[in-house]
Amino acid sequence: IVVALLGIASVVMTARIARRLTRSNTVGTVAGLLLALDGVHIAISRTALLDMTLSFFVLAAFGVLIIDRDHRGTPGYRWTRPTLTVLLGLAIATKWSGVYFALVFGVLMLAWDLRRRHDHDGQTAIPTWLRRDVATAAFMPVGALVVYTATWVGWFRNTGAWGRDWDPGSASMRPLRQLLHYHEQ
């Protein structure tokens, strides 16, 4: 049922994102309607596959990225950055193909930041952009990795989980080595 609910939420998010991109209620409504009637979307949102969950997190991240782009005023800290980091971390935790979206969204975010800095700061745009935007964006992959690792809490807590009996080495690093070995397998 959760995947079906994510499919429904994706329709609403698509309509809102299309509306925000085009500033047209008609386009937003048509975009949501087209997704709601798409046979593949209907089929995937009714099965227990990870594809709908991945698309939900990627679509939500894109929506937050658009909100971040539309932020008015002086560039700086916005709630959208940590939210984007968490959503992309969850997308990566769902399927590793979420990494590609994280990379593209990161580049897009930095490009929009540079444009915003140029519009606001003029000649000093690039040094300010490098110091503030690029430097803070460098923490986003770390945050996404923390979110990804946090999704493994159940596995870490269950000593009987698959792969937890591997590597009888030092106890302090054993769970991390076991996780790396699990991923390698």
Side-chain angles (χ1 to χ4, degrees), residues 9-87:
S10 295
V11 171
V12 174
M13 285 191 303
T14 298
R16 294 290 300 148
I17 290 169
R19 163 63 180 94
R20 190 170 194 108
L21 286 171
T22 64
R23 290 173 176 55
S24 167
N25 290 333
T26 304
V27 171
T29 302
V30 169
L33 184 62
L34 288 174
L35 185 61
L37 298 176
D38 180 64
V40 174
H41 183 78
I42 291 170
I44 290 177
S45 67
R46 301 313 182 260
T47 58
L49 297 175
L50 294 176
D51 298 317
M52 181 54 60
T53 306
L54 172 66
S55 69
F56 171 81
F57 286 129
V58 168
L59 186 62
F62 183 69
V64 170
L65 185 63
I66 296 299
I67 292 169
D68 184 75
R69 179 202 68 175
D70 293 346
H71 178 75
R72 304 284 184 231
T74 306
Y77 177 81
R78 292 178 293 282
W79 64 268
T80 51
R81 300 298 167 97
T83 305
L84 182 63
T85 301
V86 168
L87 289 169

Side-chain angles (χ1 to χ4, degrees), residues 5 7 9 15-17 20 27 76 83 87 96 100 109 114-115 129 136-137 147 149 166 173 179 182:
L5 294 174
R16 294 290 300 148
I17 290 169
R20 190 170 194 108
V27 171
T83 305
L87 289 169
W96 285 358
Y100 302 119
M109 178 187 70
L114 180 59
R115 185 198 65 195
W129 175 73
T136 56
V147 171
T149 306
W166 181 82
M173 291 299 290
L179 181 64
Y182 186 117

